[in-house]
Amino acid sequence: MDTRTSETRLRIERVRDALGAHGVDAVLVPSSDPHLSEYLPERWQGRQYLSGFTGSVGSLVVTHDRAAVFADSRYWTQAEAQIAGSGITLEKMATGASTTYIDWIARTLKPGQVLAVDGQVLGLSLANALRTALQRAGITLRTDLDLVQDAWEDRPGLPVEPIYEHQPPQAAVARADKLARVRAAMASLQASHHLVSTVDDVAWLLNLRGSDVECNPVFIAHLLLDASGGRLFVADGKVPADVAARLAADGIQLAPYAQAAGALAALPAAARLLLDPRRVTLGLREAVPATVAVVEQINPSTLLKSRKSAAEAAFIRETMAEDGAAMCEFYAEFEASLARGERWSELDIDTRLTAARKRRPGFVGLSFSTIAGWMANGALPHYRATPESHAQIEGDGLLLIDSGGQYLGGTTDITRVWSVGSVNAAQKRDYTLVLKGTIALSRTRFPRGTLSPMLDAIARAPLWEHGLDYGHGTGHGVGYFMNVHEGPQSISKAVAEPAMAMEPGMITSIEPGLYRPGLWGVRIENLVLNVAIDTPENNAFGEMLAFETLTLCPIATDCIDTGLLRADEIAWLNDYHATVRKRLAPKLGGAALAWLMARTEPLVA
């Protein structure tokens, strides 16, 4: 048994000691924090710490005699490797949105037994589903215990990195204007107060940024607004004095982070509180007095920030050009180095691609950890090379690189697959079918207000025609110098909801894929902007939207089986490459420019 596995077993035993000390029979440890973030500050990475499974999505359940990690198909291979020998079993979920663990708990525990979960990190919607299932099974739910705290020795505290302002010109909408728009939405719902807990909403609304979460420029805070002012609940010392003064000028006062629940408890009886049930925890909801009327609606800021302004879109286009230039410089260096016989690993790709981005103006950091997957590793959608486990780039095959950057003028996310050596017919077929899906959705026109999940099948159709599919969504929303995953839109198999309506200004990824476990993976991803278009009949049948492709980087043509592409698909690809060449050539020189020119030559059927 290796040291890591031994440590995992010891941690699970400490959890069981805590179960006994508090008289409960099981604990649920979700991947969550008090803000229901997708990516968590270290303090709330309890599932990762206790189980050893480091995937970004998943849950852990520990009973006195069993322990299970619940993960979806993106993480099955990773989870099996990381929990091997620990005594923890892997329970496979169909999707990341699955709540299979609720059914598992209801089946595993006996009537009269008690499940604990920390209500401070338990989403309100999830709490309602969990409570309903447990009541049906005769199981008691306790949400007043944080058993992770008992089991985690030297648990990290709150992040201490300072907060800073997102400044004009890139911050194209003033804080006061954003606050006024949210208060107008409050007024329309007759809400006197509004609680905002999701950290990306807080950062966007106040034009502030931070570094409390890896790759996401956000900070840990709650915001409670009223009709004329508000309080930002944040750790002491994080807001510089000059920033605090400018916040105060816009009516926002600072308060200690721990006082958010107390402020809710002190709301006047006549208050009417707007909160988003999918973006607030049970712990905060339970702090609201019963006398206070609660309006449950999506955060107005969530809808507002998804629609980028014309000025923001202009900065994003320039950011995409800088990011594309960085990639051209990197890929030119990479291919020339391989031609000289030099050895590269997946780790080298991450290091040197990041270095290329750092040289571009406005770069702040990565938007997520770079995925560089050679051959079989490319078949793991959320693979990440580590010093302990990574591949050398050698032989013939496909290299998948999914990467992105945070810039003052926008957030990027791009996936490309490149040939190394020769590519066989099966690899070309897979690559071309995925490319057909990317092209099909990129060319789609649709009525404004179309629910985003309705578009998902368009990208899958070329694969479905051959009996193929992929397990992840086709597209996620992207923030503006903000989280790389941003709602409410989701081009996926998700159950469509009104908030998922496609509106002008939304930025979404298009990233179909195909994965051959143990062999290779293909994913081709661009970011696109929803734009209004004129129709031949002057919108007589309603306003129509189209996708403007924002991402600027060549798509490998030597991996294509041209016999599988129609003439109109080849025309789209050639038009795209003409745009990439026009936009990037002025920013490049030498080997990088030569690489760009070669990689954007028109494809001939």
Side-chain angles (χ1 to χ4, degrees):
M1 184 183 301
D2 65 32
T3 303
R4 179 195 60 79
T5 302
S6 297
E7 184 60 35
T8 298
R9 285 184 178 272
L10 289 173
R11 290 171 180 174
I12 295 298
E13 286 307 312
R14 287 200 292 269
V15 173
R16 290 182 172 129
D17 290 342
L19 294 178
H22 291 280
V24 298
D25 301 285
V27 60
L28 167 63
V29 184
S31 296
S32 184
D33 67 3
H35 309 273
L36 304 182
S37 306
E38 178 181 9
Y39 300 105
L40 309 178
E42 189 178 1
R43 174 173 178 78
W44 288 289
Q45 294 178 10
R47 185 262 301 161
Q48 294 92 317
Y49 171 82
L50 294 172
S51 70
F53 167 52
T54 60
S56 60
V57 179
S59 299
L60 171 69
V61 179
V62 180
T63 72
H64 287 291
D65 57 2
R66 300 181 67 179
V69 158
F70 296 78
D72 67 77
S73 60
R74 296 170 295 173
Y75 303 101
W76 289 347
T77 301
Q78 175 185 349
E80 286 173 341
Q82 291 182 324
I83 66 176
S86 67
I88 302 172
T89 60
L90 171 63
E91 296 289 333
K92 296 181 177 180
M93 302 191 303
T95 70
S98 171
T99 53
T100 303
Y101 52 87
I102 295 180
D103 296 332
W104 187 93
I105 292 167
R107 291 195 314 268
T108 302
L109 298 188
K110 298 181 177 64
Q113 290 191 311
V114 180
L115 171 75
V117 57
D118 181 9
Q120 301 306 313
V121 301
L122 182 64
L124 184 57
S125 295
L126 177 58
N128 292 335
L130 184 61
R131 182 176 285 120
T132 298
L134 296 186
Q135 286 177 346
R136 192 181 303 122
I139 298 165
T140 299
L141 176 65
R142 285 192 62 179
T143 59
D144 60 331
L145 297 174
D146 180 6
L147 298 190
V148 173
Q149 182 67 33
D150 292 359
W152 193 343
E153 297 177 347
D154 301 319
R155 185 179 186 181
L158 291 172
V160 298
E161 290 78 8
I163 292 167
Y164 58 96
E165 286 185 286
H166 189 207
Q167 298 277 10
Q170 290 88 354
V173 183
R175 176 167 48 234
D177 292 338
K178 292 179 177 180
L179 288 168
R181 294 171 70 186
V182 169
R183 288 196 175 100
M186 291 169 57
S188 70
L189 296 168
Q190 299 180 314
S192 61
H193 295 77
H194 175 35
L195 173 67
V196 186
S197 278
T198 35
V199 291
D200 54 330
D201 283 291
V202 173
W204 176 86
L205 184 52
L206 299 181
N207 279 352
L208 299 177
R209 298 295 188 268
S211 52
D212 290 356
V213 180
E214 184 180 11
C215 297
N216 296 309
V218 296
F219 54 94
I220 300 303
H222 301 282
L223 177 65
L224 182 60
L225 295 176
D226 57 35
S228 59
R231 281 173 285 176
L232 179 66
F233 299 92
V234 63
D236 292 342
K238 285 182 68 71
V239 182
D242 60 331
V243 176
R246 287 189 287 274
L247 285 170
D250 286 324
I252 304 299
Q253 305 297 323
L254 303 183
Y257 177 78
Q259 290 184 7
L264 291 173
L267 287 174
R272 186 175 168 87
L273 176 67
L274 168 63
L275 56 78
D276 188 335
R278 296 199 173 185
R279 293 171 176 83
V280 69
T281 64
L282 176 68
L284 284 176
R285 177 62 182 88
E286 290 184 334
V288 179
T291 55
V292 171
V294 173
V295 181
E296 293 190 351
Q297 293 282 345
I298 189 171
N299 285 338
S301 51
T302 299
L303 297 171
L304 291 169
K305 70 181 168 60
S306 71
R307 299 186 58 182
K308 282 59 179 177
S309 68
E312 290 169 336
F315 282 113
I316 292 166
R317 293 185 186 99
E318 179 58 27
T319 290
M320 292 292 174
E322 296 295 346
D323 199 61
M327 287 184 289
C328 289
E329 290 177 348
F330 164 77
Y331 287 126
E333 174 194 11
F334 172 66
E335 291 186 3
S337 177
L338 287 184
R340 293 192 298 268
E342 298 174 7
R343 288 173 57 83
W344 282 63
S345 72
E346 294 167 336
L347 293 176
D348 295 326
I349 291 170
D350 184 4
T351 300
R352 292 163 81 165
L353 179 53
T354 300
R357 282 193 165 100
K358 286 181 178 178
R359 294 192 291 268
R360 309 312 300 187
F363 179 80
V364 177
L366 298 183
S367 57
F368 57 96
S369 299
T370 299
I371 298 170
W374 169 242
M375 289 299 285
N377 290 338
L380 306 173
H382 280 228
Y383 171 76
R384 183 181 181 184
T386 66
E388 297 77 25
S389 178
H390 62 272
Q392 296 290 325
I393 313 303
E394 53 190 5
D396 298 326
L398 297 177
L399 172 65
L400 184 153
I401 303 178
D402 187 351
S403 66
Q406 295 285 7
Y407 297 79
L408 294 175
T411 300
T412 71
D413 181 2
I414 172 175
T415 307
R416 291 292 185 265
V417 173
W418 304 100
S419 64
V420 176
S422 61
V423 180
N424 64 41
Q427 291 165 340
K428 286 188 175 183
R429 173 178 176 270
D430 285 355
Y431 180 92
T432 308
L433 293 176
V434 171
L435 176 59
K436 285 171 72 71
T438 302
I439 294 173
L441 186 52
S442 299
R443 299 173 62 196
T444 297
R445 297 183 173 192
F446 49 94
R448 178 177 179 176
T450 295
L451 300 183
S452 51
M454 296 175 64
L455 302 174
D456 181 73
I458 296 171
R460 296 180 191 270
L463 292 161
W464 285 351
E465 185 178 347
H466 294 265
L468 305 170
D469 200 7
Y470 48 95
H472 55 74
T474 297
H476 56 82
V478 178
Y480 178 65
F481 183 31
M482 189 54 68
N483 293 357
V484 74
H485 292 164
E486 176 182 278
Q489 74 273 30
S490 173
I491 302 177
S492 67
K493 294 180 180 179
V495 177
E497 299 177 357
M500 294 177 176
M502 295 294 265
E503 296 289 343
M506 287 181 167
I507 295 176
T508 314
S509 68
I510 294 178
E511 49 181 310
L514 181 58
Y515 309 98
R516 304 280 186 183
L519 296 175
W520 61 76
V522 177
R523 186 166 62 254
I524 301 172
E525 176 187 18
N526 285 333
L527 301 188
V528 295
L529 174 70
N530 289 2
V531 294
I533 56 170
D534 293 327
T535 67
E537 299 189 35
N538 298 316
N539 295 327
F541 291 84
E543 184 177 349
M544 299 292 288
L545 302 180
F547 290 127
E548 173 192 338
T549 298
L550 296 169
T551 302
L552 298 169
C553 183
I555 294 171
T557 55
D558 60 349
C559 298
I560 294 174
D561 179 348
T562 55
L564 293 174
L565 289 183
R566 302 187 308 268
D568 59 303
E569 292 170 324
I570 293 174
W572 182 94
L573 183 61
N574 288 340
D575 287 345
Y576 173 69
H577 277 155
T579 299
V580 170
R581 178 184 286 193
K582 178 180 179 181
R583 295 283 306 282
L584 298 189
K587 296 182 177 294
L588 297 171
L593 178 58
W595 182 89
L596 169 71
M597 300 301 285
R599 286 291 189 170
T600 54
E601 281 294 311
L603 181 66
V604 179

Short mmCIF file of all heavy atoms in Angstrom, two decimals, residues 54-85:
data_model
loop_
_atom_site.label_atom_id
_atom_site.label_comp_id
_atom_site.label_asym_id
_atom_site.label_seq_id
_atom_site.Cartn_x
_atom_site.Cartn_y
_atom_site.Cartn_z
N THR A 54 -9.40 13.92 -7.18
CA THR A 54 -9.21 15.35 -7.37
C THR A 54 -10.03 15.95 -8.51
O THR A 54 -9.85 17.11 -8.84
CB THR A 54 -7.72 15.66 -7.62
OG1 THR A 54 -7.30 14.96 -8.80
CG2 THR A 54 -6.87 15.24 -6.44
N GLY A 55 -10.92 15.17 -9.12
CA GLY A 55 -11.77 15.73 -10.17
C GLY A 55 -12.58 16.90 -9.66
O GLY A 55 -12.90 16.99 -8.46
N SER A 56 -12.94 17.82 -10.56
CA SER A 56 -13.61 19.04 -10.12
C SER A 56 -15.07 18.82 -9.75
O SER A 56 -15.68 19.68 -9.11
CB SER A 56 -13.53 20.11 -11.22
OG SER A 56 -14.13 19.66 -12.42
N VAL A 57 -15.65 17.68 -10.13
CA VAL A 57 -17.05 17.39 -9.81
C VAL A 57 -17.12 16.00 -9.19
O VAL A 57 -16.48 15.06 -9.66
CB VAL A 57 -17.94 17.43 -11.07
CG1 VAL A 57 -19.39 17.10 -10.72
CG2 VAL A 57 -17.86 18.79 -11.74
N GLY A 58 -17.91 15.86 -8.15
CA GLY A 58 -18.07 14.57 -7.49
C GLY A 58 -18.49 14.73 -6.05
O GLY A 58 -18.41 15.83 -5.50
N SER A 59 -18.95 13.66 -5.44
CA SER A 59 -19.38 13.68 -4.04
C SER A 59 -18.84 12.45 -3.34
O SER A 59 -18.56 11.42 -3.96
CB SER A 59 -20.91 13.70 -3.94
OG SER A 59 -21.44 14.86 -4.56
N LEU A 60 -18.70 12.57 -2.03
CA LEU A 60 -18.22 11.48 -1.18
C LEU A 60 -19.26 11.19 -0.11
O LEU A 60 -19.79 12.13 0.50
CB LEU A 60 -16.89 11.87 -0.52
CG LEU A 60 -16.35 10.94 0.58
CD1 LEU A 60 -15.91 9.60 -0.01
CD2 LEU A 60 -15.19 11.62 1.32
N VAL A 61 -19.57 9.92 0.10
CA VAL A 61 -20.43 9.50 1.20
C VAL A 61 -19.65 8.50 2.04
O VAL A 61 -19.07 7.54 1.50
CB VAL A 61 -21.74 8.88 0.72
CG1 VAL A 61 -22.60 8.44 1.90
CG2 VAL A 61 -22.52 9.86 -0.16
N VAL A 62 -19.63 8.71 3.35
CA VAL A 62 -18.93 7.81 4.27
C VAL A 62 -19.92 7.34 5.33
O VAL A 62 -20.59 8.16 5.96
CB VAL A 62 -17.72 8.50 4.95
CG1 VAL A 62 -17.02 7.52 5.89
CG2 VAL A 62 -16.74 9.03 3.91
N THR A 63 -20.02 6.03 5.51
CA THR A 63 -20.79 5.44 6.60
C THR A 63 -19.80 4.74 7.53
O THR A 63 -18.58 4.79 7.32
CB THR A 63 -21.83 4.44 6.08
OG1 THR A 63 -21.15 3.25 5.63
CG2 THR A 63 -22.63 5.02 4.91
N HIS A 64 -20.31 4.07 8.55
CA HIS A 64 -19.41 3.38 9.47
C HIS A 64 -18.69 2.21 8.82
O HIS A 64 -17.62 1.81 9.28
CB HIS A 64 -20.20 2.89 10.69
CG HIS A 64 -20.60 4.00 11.61
ND1 HIS A 64 -19.69 4.69 12.38
CD2 HIS A 64 -21.81 4.55 11.89
CE1 HIS A 64 -20.32 5.61 13.10
NE2 HIS A 64 -21.61 5.55 12.81
N ASP A 65 -19.25 1.66 7.73
CA ASP A 65 -18.60 0.50 7.12
C ASP A 65 -18.43 0.61 5.61
O ASP A 65 -17.90 -0.30 4.97
CB ASP A 65 -19.38 -0.78 7.44
CG ASP A 65 -20.83 -0.73 6.98
OD1 ASP A 65 -21.23 0.30 6.39
OD2 ASP A 65 -21.56 -1.69 7.23
N ARG A 66 -18.84 1.73 5.01
CA ARG A 66 -18.70 1.91 3.58
C ARG A 66 -18.28 3.34 3.26
O ARG A 66 -18.55 4.27 4.03
CB ARG A 66 -20.00 1.59 2.84
CG ARG A 66 -20.51 0.17 3.04
CD ARG A 66 -21.80 -0.08 2.27
NE ARG A 66 -21.58 -0.07 0.82
CZ ARG A 66 -22.54 -0.29 -0.08
NH1 ARG A 66 -23.79 -0.53 0.32
NH2 ARG A 66 -22.26 -0.28 -1.37
N ALA A 67 -17.62 3.50 2.11
CA ALA A 67 -17.28 4.83 1.61
C ALA A 67 -17.35 4.77 0.10
O ALA A 67 -16.87 3.81 -0.53
CB ALA A 67 -15.90 5.26 2.07
N ALA A 68 -17.96 5.78 -0.52
CA ALA A 68 -18.14 5.78 -1.96
C ALA A 68 -17.94 7.18 -2.52
O ALA A 68 -18.38 8.17 -1.93
CB ALA A 68 -19.54 5.27 -2.32
N VAL A 69 -17.27 7.23 -3.66
CA VAL A 69 -17.14 8.46 -4.44
C VAL A 69 -18.09 8.35 -5.63
O VAL A 69 -18.15 7.31 -6.29
CB VAL A 69 -15.70 8.65 -4.94
CG1 VAL A 69 -15.65 9.57 -6.15
CG2 VAL A 69 -14.83 9.23 -3.84
N PHE A 70 -18.83 9.41 -5.89
CA PHE A 70 -19.78 9.46 -7.00
C PHE A 70 -19.22 10.43 -8.05
O PHE A 70 -18.98 11.60 -7.74
CB PHE A 70 -21.14 9.92 -6.52
CG PHE A 70 -21.79 8.96 -5.55
CD1 PHE A 70 -21.39 8.93 -4.22
CD2 PHE A 70 -22.76 8.07 -5.97
CE1 PHE A 70 -21.96 8.04 -3.32
CE2 PHE A 70 -23.35 7.18 -5.08
CZ PHE A 70 -22.95 7.16 -3.76
N ALA A 71 -19.02 9.93 -9.27
CA ALA A 71 -18.44 10.75 -10.33
C ALA A 71 -19.08 10.37 -11.66
O ALA A 71 -19.52 9.24 -11.85
CB ALA A 71 -16.93 10.55 -10.40
N ASP A 72 -19.10 11.34 -12.60
CA ASP A 72 -19.68 11.06 -13.92
C ASP A 72 -18.59 10.56 -14.87
O ASP A 72 -17.42 10.47 -14.50
CB ASP A 72 -20.39 12.29 -14.47
CG ASP A 72 -19.45 13.43 -14.78
OD1 ASP A 72 -18.76 13.37 -15.82
OD2 ASP A 72 -19.38 14.39 -13.98
N SER A 73 -18.98 10.24 -16.10
CA SER A 73 -18.11 9.52 -17.03
C SER A 73 -16.82 10.25 -17.36
O SER A 73 -15.82 9.62 -17.73
CB SER A 73 -18.88 9.23 -18.33
OG SER A 73 -19.30 10.43 -18.96
N ARG A 74 -16.79 11.57 -17.23
CA ARG A 74 -15.56 12.31 -17.50
C ARG A 74 -14.43 11.91 -16.56
O ARG A 74 -13.25 12.09 -16.88
CB ARG A 74 -15.81 13.82 -17.36
CG ARG A 74 -16.80 14.41 -18.36
CD ARG A 74 -17.16 15.84 -17.98
NE ARG A 74 -17.86 15.90 -16.72
CZ ARG A 74 -18.17 17.04 -16.10
NH1 ARG A 74 -17.81 18.20 -16.63
NH2 ARG A 74 -18.84 17.03 -14.96
N TYR A 75 -14.80 11.38 -15.39
CA TYR A 75 -13.80 11.16 -14.33
C TYR A 75 -13.65 9.70 -13.92
O TYR A 75 -12.91 9.42 -12.98
CB TYR A 75 -14.19 11.98 -13.09
CG TYR A 75 -14.33 13.45 -13.33
CD1 TYR A 75 -15.58 14.04 -13.49
CD2 TYR A 75 -13.21 14.27 -13.41
CE1 TYR A 75 -15.71 15.40 -13.71
CE2 TYR A 75 -13.33 15.63 -13.63
CZ TYR A 75 -14.58 16.19 -13.78
OH TYR A 75 -14.71 17.53 -13.99
N TRP A 76 -14.33 8.77 -14.59
CA TRP A 76 -14.31 7.39 -14.12
C TRP A 76 -12.89 6.82 -14.08
O TRP A 76 -12.47 6.24 -13.08
CB TRP A 76 -15.20 6.51 -15.01
CG TRP A 76 -16.66 6.79 -14.82
CD1 TRP A 76 -17.25 7.52 -13.82
CD2 TRP A 76 -17.74 6.36 -15.67
NE1 TRP A 76 -18.61 7.58 -13.99
CE2 TRP A 76 -18.95 6.87 -15.12
CE3 TRP A 76 -17.80 5.61 -16.83
CZ2 TRP A 76 -20.18 6.64 -15.69
CZ3 TRP A 76 -19.04 5.38 -17.42
CH2 TRP A 76 -20.21 5.88 -16.85
N THR A 77 -12.16 7.00 -15.16
CA THR A 77 -10.79 6.46 -15.20
C THR A 77 -9.92 7.12 -14.14
O THR A 77 -9.16 6.45 -13.42
CB THR A 77 -10.18 6.66 -16.59
OG1 THR A 77 -11.00 5.99 -17.56
CG2 THR A 77 -8.77 6.08 -16.66
N GLN A 78 -10.01 8.43 -14.03
CA GLN A 78 -9.22 9.16 -13.04
C GLN A 78 -9.58 8.73 -11.63
O GLN A 78 -8.70 8.48 -10.80
CB GLN A 78 -9.46 10.67 -13.21
CG GLN A 78 -8.79 11.53 -12.15
CD GLN A 78 -9.16 12.99 -12.29
OE1 GLN A 78 -9.75 13.41 -13.27
NE2 GLN A 78 -8.81 13.79 -11.29
N ALA A 79 -10.88 8.65 -11.33
CA ALA A 79 -11.31 8.29 -9.98
C ALA A 79 -10.86 6.89 -9.60
O ALA A 79 -10.39 6.66 -8.48
CB ALA A 79 -12.83 8.43 -9.87
N GLU A 80 -11.00 5.94 -10.53
CA GLU A 80 -10.60 4.57 -10.23
C GLU A 80 -9.12 4.50 -9.87
O GLU A 80 -8.72 3.78 -8.96
CB GLU A 80 -10.91 3.67 -11.44
CG GLU A 80 -12.39 3.36 -11.58
CD GLU A 80 -12.72 2.61 -12.87
OE1 GLU A 80 -11.87 2.64 -13.80
OE2 GLU A 80 -13.80 1.98 -12.93
N ALA A 81 -8.31 5.27 -10.60
CA ALA A 81 -6.87 5.26 -10.31
C ALA A 81 -6.56 5.93 -8.97
O ALA A 81 -5.72 5.44 -8.21
CB ALA A 81 -6.12 5.97 -11.44
N GLN A 82 -7.24 7.02 -8.67
CA GLN A 82 -6.89 7.79 -7.47
C GLN A 82 -7.41 7.17 -6.18
O GLN A 82 -6.85 7.42 -5.12
CB GLN A 82 -7.40 9.23 -7.61
CG GLN A 82 -6.64 10.02 -8.68
CD GLN A 82 -7.11 11.45 -8.79
OE1 GLN A 82 -8.29 11.75 -8.64
NE2 GLN A 82 -6.18 12.36 -9.07
N ILE A 83 -8.48 6.37 -6.25
CA ILE A 83 -9.00 5.76 -5.02
C ILE A 83 -8.60 4.30 -4.89
O ILE A 83 -8.96 3.63 -3.91
CB ILE A 83 -10.54 5.87 -4.94
CG1 ILE A 83 -11.21 5.04 -6.04
CG2 ILE A 83 -10.98 7.33 -4.99
CD1 ILE A 83 -12.73 5.03 -5.94
N ALA A 84 -7.82 3.79 -5.84
CA ALA A 84 -7.42 2.39 -5.80
C ALA A 84 -6.72 2.06 -4.49
O ALA A 84 -5.80 2.76 -4.06
CB ALA A 84 -6.49 2.08 -6.98
N GLY A 85 -7.17 0.99 -3.83
CA GLY A 85 -6.55 0.54 -2.59
C GLY A 85 -6.95 1.30 -1.35
O GLY A 85 -6.48 1.01 -0.25
#
